[in-house]
Amino acid sequence: MTSNKTPFYITTAIAYANGAPHLGHAYEAIITDVMARFKRLDGFDTYFLTGMDEHGQKVAQTAEKNGVSPQEFCDDIAQKFIDQTETFNISNDQFIRTTDKDHHKSSQAIWQKLEDNGDIYLDKYAGWYSVRDEAFYDEKEITKDEETGVKLSPHGTEVEWVEEESYFFKLSAYEEKLLTLYKENPEFIAPQSKHNEITSFVKGGLRDLSISRTTFDWGVKVPNDPKHVMYVWLDALTNYITALGYPDTESEKFKKFWPANYHVVGKDIIRFHCVYWPAFLMAANIELPKQVFAHGFINVDGQKMSKSIGNVIAPSELVSRYGMDQTRYLLMRTISHGEDGNYNHEQSIVRINADLSNGLGNLVQRTLSMIVKNCDATIPERNDLTDEDQKLLNQAYTAIDTIRPLFEKFQFNRGLEEIWRLVSAANTYVDEQAPWALKKTDTVRMGVVLSVLAETIRCLGILVQPVMPDSASKILDQLKTPKDQREFEHLNVEYALKYGITIDPPQGVFPRLVEEEKAA
Ligand code: MSP
């Protein structure tokens, strides 16, 4: 059934296996999930990849500190990330782990391609390395903490001087090609500010990149020289094609889904995705992804999340405070596309109560309970529609046209604002039409009003699915909307709620956070 749909491939960054997931990881997974769900509902054959980056010095060091083998350590952390995908109802098609055998094979194959292309040579590396970032930095990027004398990367992480034999990738040879790529495909890096940042970084000159290490062995072995392991980023980035069967570029999955439509990543790792990754792919003669989308960071009460400040939030904490869909909504509604966001408990309660409990929840609750009480729990006919009825229905059917271009650009906050325009219009309509008053004067007209509202709610239920999949299905289940009629193509009169169907007594979808509100 899906074979004639346009393929769509989206990935998150794969998280380092050096600690439990935090809110930043959940945020990225949710952004990507919302886009994947949106595309599926819009008729695309979607493949969504997420996973775990398990190699490198940092993982090896953390495992050692914990007194376990790196593999055992990774197994434990991977399970926590897999659990997180369940906690947040993330609809990934695959969870890749870079310790998977096929991933080693794929990473070695891409290495071999770079080597065959004449882009790899052996030399000695002497320079600054941050184990925290698993990244090399130029002298000019390094600053010194005046108090401690510690040398720092531009991300504020500690760097150390490293000198060792290393293979190099001729990144400098790709400077012009990369600049041409950015110029000819301005959409390759989004948002625009990141496009500018990367362009000026590359214009500043690229040095060849050290791509192997010899001082530890937790990684993918370099082909024909096993005392070297690959630089963790070379192996990590390759996960995006391993998942599709690389090096078998003729496999069905590879042919169907590569090049990726979106790599969704945090703003701290765009250099790897927008400079190194396309250069590796060019060298290996593989098509380039269409876009790297960089999201911002989540801060807590205006401060960066950090273990030392003690404000790191476990994603499950928010779910137990507000509910899963409520947390998803909150993050997607309050953080602007590509910008940093802030989490604050009091503001979150106000937002959830206003938009979900009072806004959408109340609309569903009062409409459905009036239908149950006054119309025998049966959807009434929608005859003799007035201009007001028609206006609301038109808004419900056409909302997707405004929302689509926003969602397609990860502007979920603006897309949700549009959906809530419809919620407000429906709430205003109930107040103006006052079906409770019509009950005494004109029961036929009351039925029409309730039926128009129920049909609007059906559309709202369909529209909120990418962001709040569980709540949306509760709403659509109560309306008895068939499971195979919940896609965006069903947002029209042809699939409208049938007269005479019996609905279930409404069950509160978004309970008001009263206790939480008092505590706040
Ligand atoms: N392992 C690399 C990615 C390799 S992709 C081939 C890595 N891992 S990470 O665990 O440090 O980060 C995973 C993702 O979470 C990154 O996209 C990163 O930007 C994102 N975030 C980490 N902290 C974050 C916040 N506080 N807020 C939002 N996103 C954050 O980098």
Side-chain angles (χ1 to χ4, degrees):
M1 182 197 144
T2 54
S3 59
N4 55 1
K5 291 180 172 182
T6 312
F8 180 85
Y9 181 36
I10 188 164
T11 68
T12 65
I14 47 171
Y16 284 129
N18 67 339
H22 58 59
L23 193 52
H25 295 121
Y27 174 58
E28 182 170 304
I30 296 169
I31 295 180
T32 315
D33 185 57
V34 169
M35 181 61 96
R37 288 179 184 273
F38 186 87
K39 286 301 207 180
R40 285 190 202 107
L41 290 164
D42 216 11
F44 288 75
D45 187 0
T46 301
Y47 198 75
F48 169 12
L49 176 73
T50 188
M52 181 110 277
D53 184 357
E54 307 191 323
H55 296 129
Q57 198 171 355
K58 184 166 54 176
V59 173
Q61 280 177 356
T62 321
E64 199 181 328
K65 261 190 224 147
N66 283 269
V68 289
S69 73
Q71 188 64 58
E72 279 171 310
F73 188 71
C74 291
D75 289 349
D76 182 50
I77 303 285
Q79 193 52 50
K80 293 194 164 73
F81 274 83
I82 292 169
D83 291 346
Q84 170 177 268
T85 63
E86 277 152 31
T87 308
F88 282 101
N89 206 352
I90 303 299
S91 63
N92 54 300
D93 295 286
Q94 187 180 342
F95 187 93
I96 192 168
R97 298 184 53 186
T98 55
T99 47
D100 293 344
K101 278 220 165 54
D102 60 343
H103 178 69
H104 281 232
K105 194 174 131 209
S106 161
S107 305
Q108 288 169 334
I110 198 168
W111 177 289
Q112 198 58 57
K113 282 274 182 196
L114 307 189
E115 199 174 323
D116 295 347
N117 206 38
D119 281 322
I120 291 183
Y121 62 93
L122 188 61
D123 202 342
K124 194 175 157 212
Y125 178 77
W128 296 105
Y129 191 75
S130 157
V131 177
R132 167 67 188 81
D133 302 343
E134 297 284 15
F136 301 97
Y137 293 102
D138 284 347
E139 186 69 51
K140 61 178 191 254
E141 297 181 283
I142 302 301
T143 52
K144 193 162 120 188
D145 183 323
E146 286 311 330
E147 264 175 44
T148 58
V150 170
K151 301 270 193 168
L152 300 173
S153 78
H155 295 297
T157 51
E158 189 172 344
V159 291
E160 60 185 44
W161 187 257
V162 172
E163 283 192 25
E164 59 186 288
E165 181 187 90
S166 172
Y167 284 98
F168 280 79
F169 171 70
K170 285 186 190 162
L171 185 63
S172 57
Y174 289 87
E175 207 173 295
E176 281 314 312
K177 288 181 191 136
L178 288 167
L179 289 173
T180 309
L181 164 73
Y182 309 147
K183 197 163 166 215
E184 288 178 359
N185 303 279
E187 300 268 291
F188 180 69
I189 309 169
Q192 177 74 32
S193 58
K194 301 296 174 223
H195 168 94
N196 301 345
E197 184 183 320
I198 289 293
T199 305
S200 61
F201 171 73
V202 174
K203 277 188 178 156
L206 291 178
R207 286 165 36 141
D208 290 350
L209 182 69
S210 163
I211 50 163
S212 74
R213 306 288 310 270
T214 53
T215 49
F216 63 94
D217 68 355
W218 182 240
V220 180
K221 301 245 178 300
V222 165
N224 309 318
D225 196 350
K227 74 173 189 293
H228 286 255
V229 290
M230 286 185 198
Y231 173 38
V232 60
W233 271 100
L234 172 51
D235 117 48
L237 289 160
T238 306
N239 92 87
Y240 301 131
I241 51 176
T242 303
L244 302 183
Y246 190 79
D248 182 5
T249 51
E250 288 306 308
S251 74
E252 202 187 313
K253 239 174 166 184
F254 193 93
K255 283 202 304 208
K256 182 165 174 190
F257 290 110
W258 193 258
N261 296 75
Y262 294 115
H263 291 314
V264 178
V265 303
K267 61 177 183 179
D268 57 328
I269 55 172
I270 49 175
R271 194 183 289 187
F272 304 95
H273 284 82
C274 304
V275 182
Y276 301 173
W277 182 226
F280 295 152
L281 290 169
M282 286 175 191
N285 199 17
I286 301 171
E287 250 187 289
L288 305 186
K290 293 180 186 151
Q291 185 174 101
V292 176
F293 171 71
H295 61 77
F297 262 42
I298 297 199
N299 300 321
V300 173
D301 295 328
Q303 277 183 309
K304 196 175 167 196
M305 244 192 302
S306 105
K307 279 190 194 150
S308 54
I309 301 175
N311 63 350
V312 176
I313 301 219
S316 53
E317 217 174 300
L318 293 197
V319 176
S320 47
R321 268 184 209 171
Y322 312 125
M324 189 253 293
D325 274 353
Q326 285 86 340
T327 305
R328 289 173 60 109
Y329 175 79
L330 190 69
L331 295 175
M332 296 303 101
R333 176 65 187 81
T334 57
I335 303 177
S336 297
H337 138 269
E339 286 173 26
D340 287 350
N342 187 43
Y343 165 71
N344 167 278
H345 179 53
E346 290 76 15
Q347 286 166 5
S348 301
I349 287 176
V350 171
R351 169 67 72 181
I352 290 171
N353 278 343
D355 294 2
L356 299 183
S357 312
N358 299 350
L360 179 58
N362 196 24
L363 173 71
V364 176
Q365 185 69 23
R366 56 182 176 163
T367 305
L368 301 197
S369 44
M370 275 190 278
I371 295 178
V372 169
K373 278 197 204 122
N374 305 314
C375 312
D376 257 351
T378 302
I379 299 293
E381 295 193 4
R382 288 181 294 280
N383 290 331
D384 301 325
L385 294 182
T386 64
D387 287 352
E388 283 76 26
D389 302 340
Q390 203 60 67
K391 192 171 151 213
L392 183 63
L393 289 172
N394 284 346
Q395 193 176 338
Y397 294 143
T398 56
I400 184 66
D401 302 331
T402 324
I403 293 158
R404 184 181 286 112
L406 298 170
F407 266 69
E408 278 175 343
K409 290 203 158 67
F410 293 92
Q411 296 183 349
F412 303 138
N413 57 324
R414 293 188 53 204
L416 286 168
E417 239 171 74
E418 287 302 324
I419 300 178
W420 256 256
R421 246 186 257 288
L422 179 58
V423 172
S424 302
N427 273 322
T428 307
Y429 172 90
V430 193
D431 293 339
E432 285 172 4
Q433 301 296 323
W436 48 88
L438 291 169
K439 190 175 148 188
K440 294 175 203 131
T441 55
D442 185 348
T443 51
V444 175
R445 176 67 195 151
M446 172 197 73
V448 175
V449 168
L450 292 175
S451 195
V452 166
L453 283 165
E455 172 59 358
T456 307
I457 293 170
R458 179 186 75 89
C459 296
L460 281 166
I462 291 179
L463 289 168
V464 299
Q465 288 177 104
V467 178
M468 298 189 286
D470 267 12
S471 312
S473 53
K474 276 188 202 149
I475 294 172
L476 295 169
D477 286 351
Q478 288 179 34
L479 287 173
K480 300 279 166 64
T481 305
K483 296 255 191 268
D484 60 355
Q485 291 182 15
R486 296 182 178 189
E487 299 195 359
F488 297 149
E489 66 175 0
H490 303 115
L491 286 165
N492 58 53
V493 71
E494 201 187 322
Y495 294 93
L497 275 179
K498 301 255 176 316
Y499 309 154
I501 55 164
T502 306
I503 60 164
D504 292 335
Q507 317 228 319
V509 184
F510 302 111
R512 203 180 157 76
L513 300 171
V514 180
E515 286 312 310
E516 289 277 5
E517 192 169 41
K518 274 194 209 140

